[in-house]
Structures are given as structure tokens and as C-alpha cells.
């Protein structure tokens, strides 16, 4: 029976573990320093919004394209996963027109004629009468918003229900993870490396191309925005963002944010927090019924470090110290919305390894 260790219990690792466990006969162990329920600066997934706002250009759209149907299914049919449908307004600022609306956060989201308009159900360009004066254009469509606390626990629960063993451990070298496999003392045949940002410090990997893209957020109890909102830019600097989304099942509303490359600071900056709240309430006054930021009821300030990577995500197989490893890290700001597409690619690489191994027997 093929035996797998998935190193990492963020959205990338848990999605791969679940998809592996759905295949009959696979023995799967998840090994991680941080598990669902933890909040730590080294663990990105709980800090995400999270929603589905495609960021890739069409040529790189495979992962997001292949993830959307599953997120949509979960929103429609599996309420306990903590995902619900929500309309989004994607706004292109006049000042961002010279860049073609391609920004640090995303190449494809603000494209005037995006590939994803054929993927989602009800994409429509907003008429000028529905746009604020400083907007060049905008679009509305139905996306999903994920309550990350619920969803990560749901993923872990789905894994456990299929026999996956979840273990707490800190691994110094990726090849060491193979020895932590369940299943009668056998080493894992394949280790899936889903260590996110920490891939830059993991022995055997030490990927110097990985860097943090710091995202500061404010989580509030106000849930009356009705639509999610994201703008292509702000007047407060290139690393400052403006977005809002209301999480499913009482998860509150996330106000964002920032995209600060190379910044490892785990502490919320108070000035940034005020600026985030001001931008959000200006964009969506209905959040506080017109009472400005005084009307916001704060649950917590947050900082998460998106696992960005020069050259983009790494999904590759590699033999390291005699252990087959499939890497799946470096998802920057799209780890949820690409999770099922990436897991699909990981499983294809696993099949290739199994074929190589069989051919040598
Ligand atoms: P992580 O969640 O960081 O998980 C890494 C795992 O590896 C952890 O379990 C960790 O303990 C383990 N690990 C690492 N090293 C070791 C080791 N040596 N030994 C043992 N275990 C180890 N994405 C979206 O799709 N949509 C959004 O709307 C969105 N919004 C975001 C907003 C913010 C503010 C931020 C910060 C991110 C957002 N993202 C969003 C991005 C998304 O959160 C990330 O891409 C995703 O969470 C990365 O998940 P991961 O599983 O790869 O990494």
C-alpha cells in the first residue's frame, strides 16, 4: 500500500492529504508544527480572508480554474465546511489604468476582460452609474467566502474520518519526515512538502526564493456589508490594499489590508490598522450604518505572512537523500483558491513517482 507523509497542516497540506486519502489503499500521515486551531505567525492559513478572487493570468490559471468547482460545491452542499456564497465588487481605480491594473497582489484579478468571467456564473461589468467617481470600471459576480477557522478544522476532520493520522512534530530536514509515517514502521514512499513560508528554512529545501508578503487585517463583528469589495489600489502606498469580506457562519468581516514584500513583522501596526478601517468604511459605509470607523466592533487585529516565491508556486517532484518529495509551497495570496487544483497536480506527480518506482522493481 502506498504510504505518504504530508508535511504541513495548512490549507495546502490538508487538501493534499484529503485527496490522497480518498484514493483507496493509500496510508496517509499529516505531520506539522502547527495544526488547525493554532494562531501563529509561522502558520499562514488561519489568517487568510479567505475568498476566491482569481489572481493568475490566463496562462497560469489552471490551479484556480480547477479549484472553483469544488469550492462552489462545498458552498452549495456542505454547510459544515464554513464556506458561503457572496457577491463581490472588483473595482479598477482610475489611477491604476497606466499599469494595466497589474499589481503586486495579483496579475489577473483586475484585468478588464478576465479569463475567469467565463468560469464564474454571473459576471457583469458595472455600469458607470454604479461606480464611484474615482473608479475607472468595475465588475460584480458571485464568489465564495471561507471561514478559515471552520474550514481548516473541517478539512482536518475529513482527513481523520478517512483514516489519516495527524501528528504534531517539528522536522529539521524534509527527508526525516519519511520516518514519521504510520503503517507498521515502514518509511513513507513519498513526502509531500507543504511547509509554506518555512520552506525557506527546511533542511534539504532551504528555498531562498521564498519570502513573506505581509498581510495585516482587522476582523470585526459588523456583518452588514452585503457584498465583498476589493479595489485595485489605494492612495496610501503601493503596499496598501483595500478589501472586505464577510466570513460564513458568524465568522465576522475581514478588513484588509497590506501586501508588504519581505516584511516579517508579526505585530499589527496601529497606524496601519486605522488606515485599513478608514479605507474599508469609506468604500462600504453600510458596514457601520454611516457611523465611520467608530461604529466598527473589533474582534482582533491580525498579521499573516503570505508564502510568496520568486518564480511562483513550486509544485515539483525531487529525490532528496533517497526520499521522493513532492513540493507544494509558495502560494502567496491564493493558497485557498488554488488548493484543489494544486492538490490535483501533486497527485499527478505522485502517480509519476509510483510508476518510476514500479518500473525499477
Ligand atoms: P501554511 O498555512 O503556513 O502551513 C504550513 C504548514 O507547514 C504548517 O502546518 C506548519 O506548521 C508546517 N511546517 C512548516 N515547517 C515545518 C517543519 N519544519 N516541521 C513541521 N511542520 C512544518 N488565499 C486565498 O486563496 N484567498 C484569500 O482570500 C487569501 N487571503 C489572504 C489574506 C491574508 C491576510 C493572508 C496572510 C493570506 C491570504 N491568502 C489567501 C493566502 C493563503 O492564506 C496562503 O496562500 C495559504 O494559507 C498557504 O497555506 P500553506 O498550507 O501553504 O501554508
Amino acid at each position: 500500500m502506498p504510504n505518504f507523509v504530508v508535511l504541513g497542516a495548512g490549507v495546502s497540506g490538508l487538501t493534499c492529504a484529503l485527496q490522497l486519502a480518498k484514493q483507496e489503499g493509500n496510508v496517509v500521515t499529516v505531520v506539522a508544527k502547527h495544526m488547525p486551531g493554532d494562531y501563529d505567525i509561522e502558520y499562514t492559513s488561519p489568517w487568510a480572508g479567505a475568498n476566491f478572487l482569481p489572481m493568475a493570468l490566463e496562462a497560469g490559471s489552471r490551479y484556480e480554474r480547477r479549484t472553483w468547482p469544488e469550492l462552489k460545491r462545498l458552498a452549495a452542499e456542505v454547510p459544515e465546511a464554513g464556506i458561503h456564497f457572496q457577491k463581490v465588487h472588483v473595482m479598477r481605480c482610475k489611477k491604476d489604468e497606466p499599469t494595466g491594473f497589474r499589481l503586486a497582489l495579483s496579475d489577473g484579478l483586475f484585468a478588464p476582460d478576465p479569463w475567469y468571467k467565463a468560469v464564474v456564473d454571473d459576471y457583469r461589468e458595472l455600469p458607470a452609474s454604479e461606480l464611484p467617481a474615482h473608479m475607472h470600471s468595475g465588475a460584480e459576480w458571485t464568489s465564495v467566502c471561507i471561514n478559515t477557522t471552520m474550514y481548516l478544522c473541517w478539512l482536518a476532520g475529513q482527513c481523520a474520518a478517512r483514516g489519516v493520522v495527524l501528528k504534531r512534530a517539528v522536522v529539521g530536514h524534509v527527508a526525516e519526515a519519511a520516518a514519521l509515517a504510520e503503517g507498521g514502521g515502514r518509511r513513507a514512499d513519498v513526502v509531500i512538502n507543504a511547509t509554506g513560508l518555512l520552506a525557506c528554512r527546511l533542511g534539504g529545501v532551504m528555498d531562498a526564493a521564498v519570502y513573506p508578503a505581509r498581510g495585516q487585517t482587522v476582523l470585526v463583528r459588523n456583518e452588514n456589508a452585503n457584498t465583498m469589495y476589493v479595489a485595485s489600489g489605494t492612495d496610501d502606498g503601493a503596499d496598501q490594499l483595500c478589501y472586505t469580506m464577510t466570513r460564513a457562519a458568524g465568522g465576522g468581516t475581514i478588513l484588509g489590508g497590506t501586501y508588504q514584500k519581505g516584511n516579517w513583522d508579526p505585530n499589527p501596526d496601529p497606524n496601519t490598522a486605522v488606515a485599513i478601517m478608514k479605507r474599508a468604511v469609506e468604500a462600504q459605509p453600510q458596514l457601520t450604518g454611516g457611523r465611520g470607523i467608530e461604529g466598527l466592533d473589533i474582534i482582533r487585529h491580525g498579521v499573516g505572512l503570505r508564502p510568496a516565491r520568486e518564480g511562483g508556486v513550486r509544485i515539483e517532484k525531487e529525490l532528496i537523500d533517497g526520499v521522493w518529495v513532492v513540493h507544494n509551497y509558495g502560494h502567496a495570496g491564493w493558497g485557498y483558491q488554488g488548493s484543489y487544483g494544486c492538490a490535483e497536480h501533486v497527485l499527478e506527480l505522485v502517480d509519476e513517482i509510483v510508476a518510476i518506482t514500479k518500473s525499477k522493481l
Side-chain angles (χ1 to χ4, degrees), residues 80-129:
E80 63 272 27
I83 302 179
H84 68 174
F85 291 112
Q86 210 174 357
K87 286 229 190 269
V88 61
H89 281 178
V90 177
M91 294 293 194
R92 306 179 195 101
C93 305
K94 282 181 180 161
K95 73 171 186 59
D96 295 323
E97 194 180 4
T99 68
F101 307 105
R102 288 177 65 167
L103 301 141
L105 174 71
S106 153
D107 280 330
L109 175 61
F110 301 101
D113 186 23
W115 58 266
Y116 62 80
K117 78 177 189 187
V119 173
V120 298
D121 289 335
D122 54 354
Y123 183 96
R124 77 174 174 106
E125 283 292 319
L126 293 170
S129 60

Side-chain angles (χ1 to χ4, degrees), residues 49-101:
N51 57 15
F52 180 87
L53 293 181
M55 291 179 183
L57 292 172
E58 180 152 25
S61 65
R62 167 186 176 178
Y63 301 129
E64 292 172 325
R65 203 182 276 275
R66 297 286 295 158
T67 299
W68 173 245
E70 183 59 4
L71 293 182
K72 189 175 154 182
R73 186 189 73 80
L74 292 173
E77 297 173 18
V78 187
E80 63 272 27
I83 302 179
H84 68 174
F85 291 112
Q86 210 174 357
K87 286 229 190 269
V88 61
H89 281 178
V90 177
M91 294 293 194
R92 306 179 195 101
C93 305
K94 282 181 180 161
K95 73 171 186 59
D96 295 323
E97 194 180 4
T99 68
F101 307 105

Side-chain angles (χ1 to χ4, degrees), residues 122-207:
D122 54 354
Y123 183 96
R124 77 174 174 106
E125 283 292 319
L126 293 170
S129 60
E130 292 182 40
L131 293 170
H134 64 294
M135 289 301 165
H136 167 277
S137 54
E140 181 192 83
W141 45 279
T142 301
S143 177
V144 293
C145 185
I146 303 168
N147 178 331
T148 56
T149 311
M150 259 178 101
Y151 182 60
L152 291 169
C153 291
W154 178 82
L155 276 177
Q158 291 298 300
C159 286
R162 286 175 171 78
V164 175
V165 175
L166 295 111
K167 282 186 185 173
R168 233 3 127 157
V170 183
V171 169
H173 190 285
V174 68
E176 280 170 25
L180 297 172
E182 286 295 303
R186 257 185 64 198
R187 278 161 64 90
D189 300 297
V190 183
V191 172
I192 313 299
N193 171 23
T195 50
L197 186 60
L198 294 188
C200 69
R201 296 186 188 149
L202 179 64
V205 181
M206 296 284 184
D207 189 338

Side-chain angles (χ1 to χ4, degrees), residues 7-13 31-35 42-52 169-172 194-198 202 213 215-217 243 245 303-307 328-338:
L7 185 58
V11 68
S12 308
V31 174
K33 182 175 180 183
H34 306 95
M35 289 283 180
E42 292 182 341
Y43 186 33
T44 309
S45 292
W47 300 110
N51 57 15
F52 180 87
V170 183
V171 169
T195 50
L197 186 60
L198 294 188
L202 179 64
Q216 183 167 332
T217 57
Y243 62 84
M245 65 188 89
V303 174
L305 302 179
R306 300 174 183 88
N328 181 24
Y329 64 84
H331 305 83
W334 55 273
Y336 283 84
Q337 63 200 38

Side-chain angles (χ1 to χ4, degrees), residues 147-305:
N147 178 331
T148 56
T149 311
M150 259 178 101
Y151 182 60
L152 291 169
C153 291
W154 178 82
L155 276 177
Q158 291 298 300
C159 286
R162 286 175 171 78
V164 175
V165 175
L166 295 111
K167 282 186 185 173
R168 233 3 127 157
V170 183
V171 169
H173 190 285
V174 68
E176 280 170 25
L180 297 172
E182 286 295 303
R186 257 185 64 198
R187 278 161 64 90
D189 300 297
V190 183
V191 172
I192 313 299
N193 171 23
T195 50
L197 186 60
L198 294 188
C200 69
R201 296 186 188 149
L202 179 64
V205 181
M206 296 284 184
D207 189 338
V210 173
Y211 63 91
R214 181 179 179 278
Q216 183 167 332
T217 57
V218 185
L219 180 63
V220 297
R221 291 190 177 82
N222 310 60
E223 289 195 332
N224 36 345
N226 298 328
T227 54
M228 297 190 278
Y229 178 95
V230 61
S232 64
T234 74
D235 293 329
D236 297 337
D239 61 1
Q240 301 293 306
L241 310 176
C242 181
Y243 62 84
T244 70
M245 65 188 89
T246 300
R247 288 173 168 172
T253 298
I254 285 274
L255 314 180
T258 63
Y259 196 91
Q260 297 169 311
K261 294 182 181 181
N263 186 336
W264 290 84
D265 186 355
N267 301 307
D269 173 73
N271 292 324
T272 304
V274 170
I276 288 171
M277 291 188 281
K278 278 188 177 165
R279 291 193 297 261
V281 166
E282 200 175 304
Q284 294 192 301
Q286 68 273 27
L287 260 173
T288 58
R291 286 182 296 140
I293 71 168
E294 300 300 321
L296 289 173
D297 184 357
I298 298 171
I299 300 170
R300 80 165 79 89
H301 295 276
V303 174
L305 302 179

